[in-house]
Amino acid sequence: MTTQTSVALCTDHYELTMLSAALRDGSADRRCVFEVFARRLPTGRRYGVVAGTARIIDAVADFRFPADDLAFLRENGVVNDETAQWLADYRFSGDIDGYAEGELFFPGSPILTVSGTFAECVVLETFILSVLNHDCAIAAGAARMVTAARGRRLIEMGSRRTHEEAAVAAARSAYLAGFSSTSNLAAGRRYGIPTAGTAAHAFTLLHDDEPAAFAAQVAVLGKGTTLLVDTYDISAGIRHAVEVAGPALGAIRIDSGDLSVLAGQSRELLDSLGATETKIIVSGDLDEYAIAALAAEPVDAYGAGTAVVVGSGAPTAGLVYKLVEVAGRPVVKRSENKATVGGRKTAVRRHKPTGTAVEEVIGAGCVPEAKPGDRALQIPMVRGGAVVEGLPTLADARALLRQNLISIPWEGLKLSAGDPAVPVTTIAGEC
Amino acid sequence: MTTQTSVALCTDHYELTMLSAALRDGSADRRCVFEVFARRLPTGRRYGVVAGTARIIDAVADFRFPADDLAFLRENGVVNDETAQWLADYRFSGDIDGYAEGELFFPGSPILTVSGTFAECVVLETFILSVLNHDCAIAAGAARMVTAARGRRLIEMGSRRTHEEAAVAAARSAYLAGFSSTSNLAAGRRYGIPTAGTAAHAFTLLHDDEPAAFAAQVAVLGKGTTLLVDTYDISAGIRHAVEVAGPALGAIRIDSGDLSVLAGQSRELLDSLGATETKIIVSGDLDEYAIAALAAEPVDAYGAGTAVVVGSGAPTAGLVYKLVEVAGRPVVKRSENKATVGGRKTAVRRHKPTGTAVEEVIGAGCVPEAKPGDRALQIPMVRGGAVVEGLPTLADARALLRQNLISIPWEGLKLSAGDPAVPVTTIAGEC
């Protein structure tokens, strides 16, 4: 069983009706610029994290409408013959620029810019937004957990709480945000992310008693494995674990109960049994606040699941894909409350000599004047339909985010609600 | 570009390490029963909705571990040779029973029961939970919107706010819950769901003026189309729409502003222009509360997006997959606060002679005594690895949910927080 769908069809009906109408009246060929940005950050958040761009770039290069999809579209009257023929020949031939994965973003940041004909850009809209709205949401929540963990290891284990394919992308975003590993094997295979996992309560329940289960696990995974000790009584579980594996036991995991109390008690018991090097991993509905609350306890690693894959309260990033320029002319929808400005944007982040970010400056239809300490935020990703060589890797994205979270004012790392960590200034027309 | 992954690899690492250990010590062949249930409903919810089961049943029949996945697992030390060989031969040969799609569920309801050897059941855990936790969450939120819409049409248009594949499943769940159509073309193709969509603001901005955009759309889609009238000034937009399409215009869509005021003003204006049959569709961050607040306004249909695909505040259903029986013996994890009972469950819903549901009775390790008005909630879905013929269709699921929402006490339909609409009684051991 494989899921086999063209990503081209994972799109909104109206993208193709707009295409049909634009092909008919000739406006399809007008040169356009579309931009992806967020009007605001999710409630309480101080920064967004760019993630998913690499998934988009990979897909755009091969974005095709297979014959069977086109037959479906014709039979159901979604497109006419002219449009079907155009889609059959579809190759994106435009340009894409954007913020690198791992870059922070704020309200108005132009995180992806797609330029080309109206026709070739409009059919990418839904897919681009799906990827970015999901992946950025997960990365932002995960980054807060990484901050809260203060250097301790985080294992992503939320696959079962979200759609089976979303789980793979979520594992990627969490790793990008600084998690050490994931439970998701497809993410391991697809993205080279380290995977981790040993056993669930079911494995202990399957056996006649807990020592038998532990012995079975150690026989296959070795003494360095992690034994789950809270199926019955935790103290007895820890004693059984050390009896079976000896003091060289790699780790225990506790998945229930008051973790702040249990961590300390477990550490004492492990030490008293001579298992002074055995690590303690805790899991069970951990989010950034629960992780922060465990900072003073003798915990070595956290397993986080549900909160990661649902963006810890903000499951979608609120990103939009807006037409900002047609044939070199800025365009904008009438808007009472939305501070939306037409024209192609150029973004730089300004820094103090110490390296602290102080402002993001966005020129709308102009390029902000260069100042010392500026960093340009957009990089070329696709040129004439071809992927630019040497784009940042997933490892680069991890490093960039880590660096970014050092460079923002320290208030930006607080888990409490507050203003965007870096203020944004938009300059329209003349920079 | 196709996404091509075996769903078998969309799983947690620990499922396969447990498998390895169980194969080594012989416990892999023990007959087991696993059950899927929710310990509680999301905060404020009065019922859950079963959705996704058909996706699981389809996948389980073809659940295989392709050679390239196995090579990955061996190379990365996830499994040993013995386990890899076992996975290469994997065919689920057990039984699956469960609540039909469209059935309501409450805390403890055994919505899916998987029985077979430990080994064949454990490798399905992550996939089954991913599908149900996602699809049930979407269906439950969508069902509340359908209630709030009081018979008016609902169009699902949230694809861009969630992962590209989750979007397809979300469209299916929303349709199951009573939505009329979706914007998602892949859902149209894969599940036969009606798709809908006409144009975005970008299409108007692309053109030299609004009448030109409307004319281009009407030329291709006909006068029965829906024109988006809020790109610039809404009153002018409506006048342009009727000028271009005439009074036979199908519908207008308003996607911004104070919809409760705009709907009435737009209705008056349309009527004054002779477009008395032209429908009004509203969209823009609608959830069940916003929809309910528009009940008195002259709105013909709602477009709902973000709120649908994120489960309207509850993006995951909190379902777990627990081992409840080993070799005929009930098993249960130690639990202080969780009212978890071991043993295979049998569930019936009791009704008054009027048809109102009054109680869900769950026998743990026993079958509740039959009473007049009882309805058995579990149906056989897989027998000996083969899918049972004649399982309910998506249309059946829609009808079942509609019937279910009529049968629960009326308080159950309130949007406010409250107790589960139907109380659950669990009887352990002897019914």
Side-chain angles (χ1 to χ4, degrees):
Chain A
M1 180 74 190
T2 56
T3 56
Q4 227 179 336
T5 312
S6 74
V7 296
L9 206 66
C10 290
T11 198
D12 288 321
H13 188 123
Y14 80 4
E15 312 290 7
L16 301 191
T17 45
M18 285 191 279
L19 173 65
S20 288
L23 286 171
R24 178 77 64 92
D25 84 343
S27 58
D29 288 332
R30 294 189 180 179
R31 306 299 303 179
C32 288
V33 178
F34 287 85
E35 282 175 352
V36 176
F37 60 94
R39 292 208 176 86
R40 66 196 74 83
L41 297 175
T43 306
R45 294 295 175 85
R46 296 167 184 254
Y47 58 82
V49 175
V50 177
T53 316
R55 296 211 294 124
I56 291 169
I57 301 302
D58 282 353
V60 165
D62 297 319
F63 209 85
R64 300 286 183 275
F65 290 84
D68 50 353
D69 283 348
L70 292 175
F72 164 80
L73 295 173
R74 280 298 294 121
E75 283 159 20
N76 288 272
V78 179
V79 300
N80 55 26
D81 284 333
E82 178 193 11
T83 307
Q85 185 54 52
W86 189 91
L87 289 171
D89 297 333
Y90 183 78
R91 303 284 186 277
F92 180 71
S93 70
D95 297 342
I96 301 180
D97 299 77
Y99 284 36
E101 289 191 302
E103 192 61 80
L104 302 183
F105 69 88
F106 304 98
S109 296
I111 70 171
L112 202 75
T113 305
V114 181
S115 52
T117 67
F118 176 78
E120 69 184 346
C121 295
V122 81
V123 299
L124 299 179
E125 173 175 20
T126 308
F127 174 70
I128 285 176
L129 285 177
S130 286
V131 172
L132 289 176
N133 270 319
H134 177 267
D135 291 15
C136 293
I138 308 305
R144 288 160 59 86
M145 295 178 210
V146 171
T147 295
R150 301 190 188 181
R152 290 173 176 172
R153 274 189 305 131
L154 280 159
I155 307 160
E156 188 281 308
M157 43 176 73
S159 294
R160 64 189 53 197
R161 305 288 180 221
T162 188
H163 182 280
E164 64 274 18
E165 273 292 329
V168 186
R172 183 180 185 279
S173 284
Y175 183 69
L176 188 160
F179 275 56
S180 300
S181 57
T182 177
S183 66
N184 191 287
L185 290 170
R189 181 166 176 212
R190 217 179 282 174
Y191 303 118
I193 300 170
T195 64
T198 54
H201 298 114
F203 189 73
T204 298
L205 294 174
L206 170 71
H207 285 81
D208 297 335
D209 55 34
E210 196 172 49
F214 289 174
Q217 184 179 328
V218 169
V220 168
L221 299 178
K223 293 177 178 178
T225 192
T226 300
L227 293 170
L228 179 63
V229 295
D230 67 339
T231 303
Y232 305 114
D233 176 78
I234 294 180
S235 294
I238 291 173
R239 290 178 191 280
H240 292 151
V242 177
E243 279 163 24
V244 167
L249 172 64
I252 61 163
R253 179 162 75 98
I254 308 170
D255 186 51
S256 54
D258 182 345
L259 297 174
S260 60
V261 172
L262 292 171
Q265 291 177 349
S266 298
R267 183 73 269 157
E268 282 180 25
L269 180 53
L270 284 169
D271 289 349
S272 77
L273 298 169
T276 54
E277 299 299 312
T278 301
K279 307 290 190 207
I280 297 176
I281 303 173
V282 297
S283 58
D285 288 331
L286 295 179
D287 61 11
E288 60 267 46
Y289 304 103
I291 291 167
L294 290 165
E297 308 306 328
V299 168
D300 297 286
Y302 303 96
T306 306
V308 179
V309 298
V310 301
S312 200
T316 186
L319 295 162
V320 295
Y321 182 89
K322 293 296 174 191
L323 179 60
V324 297
E325 216 173 274
V326 178
R329 162 180 65 92
V331 296
V332 66
K333 175 183 177 299
R334 173 203 64 86
S335 184
E336 278 148 14
N337 304 310
K338 299 163 185 171
T340 307
V341 181
R344 185 189 186 110
K345 316 292 184 304
T346 305
V348 301
R349 199 166 293 150
R350 304 229 143 116
H351 300 78
K352 287 189 203 172
T354 57
T356 302
V358 289
E359 188 182 22
E360 186 161 313
V361 180
I362 300 171
C366 66
V367 178
E369 183 193 0
K371 293 194 177 177
D374 276 7
R375 186 160 63 85
L377 293 169
Q378 294 151 302
I379 60 173
M381 295 174 172
V382 173
R383 282 292 172 267
V387 177
V388 171
E389 290 196 21
L391 288 179
T393 64
L394 185 52
D396 294 334
R398 276 165 72 88
L400 178 61
L401 177 58
R402 201 179 310 123
Q403 182 54 42
N404 259 305
L405 290 177
I406 292 168
S407 75
I408 58 173
W410 68 269
E411 296 92 343
L413 295 178
K414 289 169 76 174
L415 298 181
S416 57
D419 290 330
V422 175
V424 175
T425 304
T426 299
I427 307 170
E430 278 187 66
C431 284
Chain B
M1 178 77 191
T2 55
T3 56
Q4 227 180 335
T5 311
S6 73
V7 296
L9 205 67
C10 289
T11 198
D12 288 321
H13 188 124
Y14 80 4
E15 313 289 8
L16 301 191
T17 45
M18 285 193 278
L19 173 66
S20 287
L23 286 171
R24 177 76 65 91
D25 83 344
S27 57
D29 289 331
R30 294 187 180 180
R31 305 298 303 179
C32 288
V33 179
F34 286 84
E35 282 175 352
V36 176
F37 61 93
R39 293 207 175 87
R40 67 197 72 84
L41 296 175
T43 306
R45 294 295 175 84
R46 296 167 183 253
Y47 58 83
V49 175
V50 177
T53 316
R55 296 210 296 122
I56 291 168
I57 301 301
D58 281 353
V60 165
D62 296 319
F63 208 86
R64 302 285 183 277
F65 290 84
D68 50 352
D69 283 348
L70 293 174
F72 164 79
L73 295 173
R74 279 298 295 120
E75 283 159 20
N76 289 272
V78 179
V79 300
N80 54 28
D81 284 334
E82 178 193 11
T83 306
Q85 185 54 54
W86 188 91
L87 290 172
D89 297 334
Y90 183 78
R91 302 285 186 277
F92 180 69
S93 70
D95 297 342
I96 300 180
D97 299 75
Y99 285 34
E101 288 191 302
E103 191 61 81
L104 301 182
F105 69 87
F106 303 98
S109 296
I111 70 170
L112 202 75
T113 306
V114 181
S115 53
T117 66
F118 176 79
E120 68 184 346
C121 295
V122 81
V123 299
L124 299 178
E125 173 175 20
T126 308
F127 174 70
I128 284 176
L129 286 177
S130 286
V131 172
L132 290 176
N133 270 318
H134 177 267
D135 291 14
C136 293
I138 307 305
R144 288 161 58 86
M145 295 178 211
V146 171
T147 295
R150 301 191 190 181
R152 290 173 176 174
R153 275 188 305 131
L154 281 158
I155 307 160
E156 188 281 310
M157 42 176 71
S159 294
R160 63 190 54 199
R161 305 289 182 218
T162 188
H163 182 279
E164 63 275 20
E165 273 292 330
V168 187
R172 182 180 186 277
S173 285
Y175 183 69
L176 188 159
F179 275 55
S180 301
S181 57
T182 177
S183 67
N184 190 289
L185 291 170
R189 181 167 178 209
R190 218 180 281 175
Y191 303 117
I193 299 170
T195 63
T198 54
H201 298 114
F203 188 72
T204 298
L205 294 174
L206 170 70
H207 286 80
D208 297 335
D209 55 32
E210 197 172 49
F214 289 174
Q217 183 179 328
V218 168
V220 168
L221 299 178
K223 292 178 180 179
T225 192
T226 300
L227 292 171
L228 179 63
V229 294
D230 68 338
T231 303
Y232 304 115
D233 176 77
I234 294 180
S235 295
I238 290 173
R239 290 178 191 280
H240 292 151
V242 178
E243 279 162 25
V244 168
L249 173 64
I252 61 163
R253 179 161 75 97
I254 308 170
D255 186 52
S256 53
D258 182 345
L259 298 175
S260 60
V261 173
L262 292 172
Q265 290 177 349
S266 298
R267 182 73 270 158
E268 282 180 25
L269 181 54
L270 284 168
D271 289 350
S272 76
L273 297 170
T276 55
E277 300 299 311
T278 301
K279 307 290 189 205
I280 297 176
I281 304 174
V282 297
S283 58
D285 289 332
L286 295 180
D287 61 12
E288 60 267 47
Y289 304 103
I291 291 167
L294 290 165
E297 307 307 329
V299 168
D300 297 287
Y302 302 97
T306 307
V308 180
V309 299
V310 302
S312 200
T316 186
L319 295 161
V320 295
Y321 182 89
K322 292 297 174 190
L323 179 60
V324 297
E325 215 172 274
V326 177
R329 164 181 63 91
V331 296
V332 66
K333 176 184 177 299
R334 172 203 65 86
S335 184
E336 278 148 16
N337 304 310
K338 299 166 187 170
T340 307
V341 181
R344 185 189 187 109
K345 316 291 184 304
T346 305
V348 300
R349 199 166 293 151
R350 303 229 145 118
H351 300 78
K352 286 190 203 172
T354 57
T356 302
V358 290
E359 187 182 22
E360 186 161 313
V361 181
I362 300 170
C366 65
V367 178
E369 183 192 359
K371 294 193 177 177
D374 276 7
R375 187 161 63 83
L377 293 169
Q378 294 151 303
I379 60 173
M381 295 174 173
V382 173
R383 283 291 172 267
V387 177
V388 171
E389 289 194 23
L391 288 179
T393 64
L394 185 52
D396 294 335
R398 272 166 74 89
L400 178 62
L401 177 58
R402 203 179 310 124
Q403 183 53 43
N404 258 304
L405 290 178
I406 292 169
S407 75
I408 58 174
W410 68 269
E411 295 94 343
L413 295 179
K414 289 170 74 173
L415 299 180
S416 58
D419 290 331
V422 175
V424 176
T425 304
T426 300
I427 306 170
E430 277 187 65
C431 285

